[in-house]
Amino acid sequence: MFINSMGHYVPSARIDNDYFEKVNGLTPDWIIQRTGIYSRSKAAPGENSDSMAIAAIDDAITRLPYDVKDVDLIVAAFYAAYDTVATPAHVAQQHYQIHGAKAVYASAACSSFINGLEIIEGYFASGKATKALLICTEHNTYYSNESDPKAGHLWGDAAVAYFISKERVSENDIEILDVFTEGLGDIGKGPAGVKLRPKEDGITMPDGRDVFIHACKYMIYALNHSLEHTGLKIEDLDKLICHQANKRIVAQVAHQLDKPIDDFLNNIETLGNTGSASAALVLSQNAGNFKKGDKVALMVFGGGYSCGSFIVRF
């Protein structure tokens, strides 16, 4: 598979740490020391996961080497939905008049984007699609409980859109070397580790320590599977990107892999945890900094639990 174009949208508003000292009593220094977050992105009034998705697609279309109407599969993969019936896949199909395309929605918490890649891989393998649009858009602040001292201060909003083809379309395409995912609902706290229950208390993380421990372990587990599948070694990778849940998780993964922290790309410091969009967002934001042949690995861990990895070559 090949990435033909990437686009993203990040709301301009930032909520700094001082705000949370007023609403849940956490000091700015406490938040920085435990999460690495200085500010987080916040959608403006009137914005939602659908509108952010369209903005990210519009960004990607500016570099797309074919007509958007050539897309025959649209996958929306995320969890903080505005509407779980008319999803961003269907909204995008209407907005761009992509007639005849399949349109589906899937969620695996913060692993959703990579699970979306794997769904596309399956459609391609079955011969039922050749060009896909993958949308990941998280409106976390729509659901977050800011007064919750365990997780209310973590969340940011953002969207990414990737156009993906079965075969190479242009010399600028980015090759996807491997996609790996695995469900981990039987591990640790499993389904109870992170919750999003809109009618109860929004996004909550009852046991952050359990999430931390398993995120560090299973992002590396997922990466090792992708390295084994591709025949690559860790030293063959030019950059690594972790799910942007906590800067301390990134530091711990770097330590366990014996890699310098400078080999990891991050945006959590200014955007917070943008959910399943986060790792793909980092890749899109840094796309112009890579040179031909560079290899980048992305690792994710999702509440529920689940993990995933994919490796690309520019």
Side-chain angles (χ1 to χ4, degrees):
M1 295 194 298
F2 297 85
I3 299 170
N4 316 120
S5 180
M6 297 183 285
H8 59 270
Y9 174 76
V10 180
S12 60
R14 297 291 179 272
I15 306 301
D16 62 24
N17 290 338
D18 290 335
Y19 172 81
F20 288 96
E21 188 167 14
K22 301 169 188 173
V23 298
N24 62 20
L26 301 180
T27 67
D29 286 346
W30 189 96
I31 294 174
I32 293 167
Q33 289 172 11
R34 286 161 179 80
T35 69
I37 298 171
Y38 289 79
S39 66
R40 62 284 294 148
S41 52
K42 184 177 176 63
E47 289 188 316
N48 56 50
S49 54
D50 290 348
S51 65
M52 291 191 293
I54 296 301
I57 297 167
D58 282 344
D59 181 40
I61 285 175
T62 63
R63 295 171 293 280
L64 187 63
Y66 48 83
D67 193 312
V68 66
K69 292 182 174 61
D70 292 343
V71 166
D72 49 14
L73 171 63
I74 308 169
V75 177
F78 66 112
Y79 61 81
Y82 174 65
D83 185 343
T84 57
V85 177
T87 74
H90 306 89
V91 171
Q93 185 172 32
Q94 179 192 57
H95 186 84
Y96 300 102
Q97 290 296 291
I98 309 174
H99 181 70
K102 296 169 176 60
V104 299
Y105 165 60
S107 177
C110 289
S111 295
S112 296
F113 181 87
I114 300 183
N115 283 88
L117 280 180
E118 200 164 50
I119 290 168
I120 291 168
E121 185 179 44
Y123 272 97
F124 285 175
S126 70
K128 294 185 176 182
T130 59
K131 292 186 176 69
L133 167 58
L134 177 56
I135 305 163
C136 189
T137 175
E138 301 289 21
H139 191 181
N140 285 305
T141 64
Y142 186 52
Y143 294 110
S144 62
N145 178 1
E146 294 177 341
S147 64
D148 173 21
K150 290 187 176 180
H153 53 288
L154 298 176
W155 310 107
D157 303 324
V160 293
Y162 282 40
F163 286 91
I164 298 162
S165 61
K166 182 177 181 179
E167 306 294 342
R168 183 179 290 277
V169 174
S170 79
E171 63 179 16
N172 296 321
D173 286 351
I174 303 163
E175 185 177 7
I176 300 174
L177 301 179
D178 186 68
V179 180
F180 172 82
T181 70
E182 188 170 306
L184 301 168
D186 57 333
I187 301 297
K189 300 292 184 179
V194 184
K195 303 175 183 179
L196 198 173
R197 297 178 177 174
K199 291 189 71 173
E200 295 177 20
D201 48 8
I203 306 175
T204 59
M205 194 178 299
D207 195 333
R209 177 171 173 76
D210 193 71
V211 175
F212 187 102
I213 291 169
H214 289 97
C216 295
K217 177 179 179 179
Y218 283 99
M219 281 198 285
I220 294 172
Y221 169 85
L223 174 62
N224 285 336
H225 273 272
S226 284
L227 291 173
E228 182 179 351
H229 293 166
T230 58
L232 295 171
K233 296 181 173 58
I234 189 74
E235 54 265 28
D236 295 324
L237 301 174
D238 296 284
K239 291 292 181 182
L240 300 99
I241 300 170
C242 290
H243 166 47
Q244 302 291 287
N246 186 315
K247 190 69 177 290
R248 289 170 59 220
I249 291 177
V250 180
Q252 182 63 23
V253 169
H255 173 72
Q256 291 184 34
L257 291 174
D258 195 25
K259 297 284 286 183
I261 194 67
D262 287 347
D263 284 356
F264 289 75
L265 299 174
N266 300 286
N267 62 18
I268 189 171
E269 299 95 333
T270 57
L271 302 187
N273 181 347
T274 53
S276 59
S278 70
L281 175 62
V282 174
L283 184 65
S284 180
Q285 289 177 316
N286 288 275
N289 299 327
F290 297 110
K291 63 182 184 299
K292 201 76 171 175
D294 279 353
K295 291 179 282 295
V296 184
L298 290 84
M299 299 164 274
V300 299
F301 180 82
Y305 292 144
S306 56
C307 67
S309 172
F310 75 102
I311 299 176
V312 300
R313 177 167 57 204
F314 281 78

